[in-house]
Amino acid sequence: MMRTDFEGWQADFIQRLAVADLPAAEVSEPSVSNAMLSEWYNSQLTSRFADLESRRLQKQGLSFYTIGSAGHEANACVAAALRVTDPAFLHYRSGAFFLQRAKQQPGCHALYDLMLSFCASADDPISGGRHKVLGSLELNIPPQTSTIASHLPKAMGAAHAIAMSKRLKLNGNWPHDSIVLCSFGDASANHSTLLGALNATAWAAYQGIPMPVLYVCEDNGIGISTRSPNGWIGQCLQTIHPLKYFYADGRDAQQTYLVTQSAQAYIRKTGKPAILHLKTIRYFGHAGADAEVAYRDKNSIAADFEEDILLHTAAQLVERGVFDGAELAQHAQNTKARIQRVAAEAANRPRLKTATAIKSSIVPQAKTQILPVRSEQSIAAALSFDKRNAGQPQPLGKMLNWALHEAMQDYPNTLLFGEDVGKKGGVYHVTHALRDRFGPNRVMNTVLDEQSILGLAIGAAQQGFLPIPEIQFLAYVHNAEDQIRGEAATLPFFSNGQYD
């Protein structure tokens, strides 16, 4: 069996390639070409070796993030089945997805960008050296602060907003035929934020509201040291109707690609959401400081390496006659050397050195947008529903209601949503008559879940809408504050102001 420390594993892996000591190859799929399989393998191998290089740099004090993607490289095949214009809200073990998606966008330097991120360089094109995040404006990958489920409400909101922009005939940041990809781990499947987002997705889809989103659960069976009960994740994911359930074995690159193709085709055709349950394995512990042998048997850790997707994809390439073992071993050596050269360059790039530089992305840039010109006539038109109160002193609630009528008249991309904001007009009538005038697409009652309401706002804003969410009472905000503090407030910081 191969050694399970990252230095020893890499040497043993290359040696096994050299002698073609590989598992039995999966049956070849005629719709998957040799070129496609080779491309996926390159993304998988590059992601794995980049993870290991990051750990070496971390020992030298040059890299600062070691939550790697090892064992989850099947997500490269997920990326290959989607379009570069499909926004991707990613789990942190998505290095292979990032590298594979970049191949759809000419001119990207994904490996270099990844190493700049690992090294917290100010040249990192997404965060500018503030934090290691997987993100790219040109690749439509918004960075995530954490992926313990807190990104799912935003992804749900983005999916709803993409479909809404099509209905309202408004151009958004993402095309009308896009679908949202949102990936997460099996441990997160138990989190209340995730359950709320999936419930809100199902609640909308059940009523026939388009929700073009593909949720991908990358199930490696363990959350840090806590095992997911056998069969639990599959049982849970299959019960969330009407989200259609798909399953793929992450050891099989071909199967993963074809199942993802089927899932995305279903979503684009029907506008309905789906879940892909992707079986994966986690290697080298949760993160750099996690000593896996403290809670797992050494033999079971070693046995997992025999199921490695890199070995299985390599076996398929040999079976097809694309490469022999010696060629794959040489390619692995070349990849390792290339990554080390790129990492050495990235490690020498400048880092942020002052508090002013670090905080520069927090203050939003001034907009050059031309604002609507208000006149007495336009104001009168906005408030024509309430002529009897015109010119009279009014309570604050009434004034807020008038302001909303003016805003929704002046800005066609404004959406207002929350609990009871529709026909009822809100619990204090702040949204009175808005639905009657602007219609149910722009004024919507939502599921009773504040996390989903605020996540919907973030996702809609990223699509280019001006969202106005209503939370009925201050006490109701408390269970959803992370969507404000942890997500909306930090997005400019983690994207260096590119997502604001």
Side-chain angles (χ1 to χ4, degrees), residues 172-456:
N173 293 321
W174 295 306
H176 291 165
D177 61 351
S178 298
I179 67 172
V180 175
L181 181 284
C182 182
S183 56
F184 57 92
D186 54 291
S188 293
N190 302 291
H191 201 285
S192 63
T193 307
L194 179 143
L195 296 171
L198 295 185
N199 178 71
T201 304
W203 183 86
Y206 180 79
Q207 301 173 75
I209 299 171
M211 293 294 291
V213 56
L214 174 60
Y215 294 107
V216 179
C217 179
E218 298 186 14
D219 179 7
N220 60 33
I222 192 168
I224 307 183
S225 68
T226 303
R227 279 284 179 190
S228 293
N230 289 336
W232 170 250
I233 299 301
Q235 174 180 290
C236 291
L237 298 182
Q238 290 180 70
T239 60
I240 308 171
H241 302 298
L243 278 69
K244 188 173 177 65
Y245 175 85
F246 294 83
Y247 175 84
D249 185 341
R251 295 173 299 179
D252 186 342
Q254 300 173 108
Q255 181 189 119
T256 301
Y257 171 77
L258 293 174
V259 171
T260 307
Q261 276 278 39
S262 297
Q264 65 87 26
Y266 165 80
I267 297 168
R268 291 192 210 277
K269 180 179 179 180
T270 66
K272 296 179 181 179
I275 289 181
L276 169 58
H277 182 189
L278 181 61
K279 186 62 180 174
T280 64
I281 303 171
R282 189 194 73 186
Y283 295 132
F284 311 117
H286 173 71
D290 179 33
E292 196 172 22
V293 292
Y295 53 86
R296 289 193 66 199
D297 177 72
K298 291 182 178 180
N299 290 329
S300 66
I301 296 172
D304 276 347
F305 280 97
E306 299 302 309
E307 303 300 327
D308 194 342
I309 186 174
L310 294 186
L311 293 176
H312 280 269
T313 312
Q316 189 62 45
L317 290 168
V318 171
E319 187 272 337
R320 288 175 172 229
V322 182
F323 300 106
D324 61 27
E327 289 170 326
L328 286 174
Q330 185 59 56
H331 171 65
Q333 290 281 18
N334 294 343
T335 300
K336 177 181 177 182
R338 179 170 64 92
I339 290 172
Q340 289 177 340
R341 290 194 300 271
V342 172
E345 173 63 23
N348 284 321
R349 299 307 299 160
R351 299 191 180 101
L352 297 174
K353 295 182 178 179
T354 67
T356 299
I358 292 169
K359 294 187 293 184
S360 64
S361 65
I362 298 175
V363 179
Q365 298 296 314
K367 301 292 186 182
T368 58
Q369 179 183 1
I370 299 174
L371 300 177
V373 177
R374 286 186 174 171
S375 64
E376 289 187 11
Q377 290 78 14
S378 66
I379 295 173
L383 305 183
S384 60
F385 75 100
D386 200 11
K387 291 180 180 178
R388 66 186 181 89
N389 286 314
Q392 302 296 320
Q394 300 297 327
L396 177 60
K398 174 68 73 173
M399 300 301 288
L400 289 172
N401 177 248
W402 285 2
L404 291 172
H405 276 271
E406 290 187 48
M408 296 198 73
Q409 174 183 270
D410 291 346
Y411 298 95
N413 63 332
T414 303
L415 301 177
L416 190 146
F417 46 86
E419 300 158 20
D420 304 306
V421 300
K423 285 187 175 182
K424 180 177 175 59
V427 290
Y428 293 114
H429 306 292
V430 171
T431 60
H432 171 65
L434 286 167
R435 186 179 184 275
D436 292 340
R437 179 168 182 193
F438 298 104
N441 284 326
R442 296 183 61 195
V443 182
M444 300 167 284
N445 286 334
T446 65
V447 65
L448 197 159
D449 177 27
E450 285 73 28
Q451 291 179 125
S452 294
I453 293 170
L454 296 177
L456 176 58

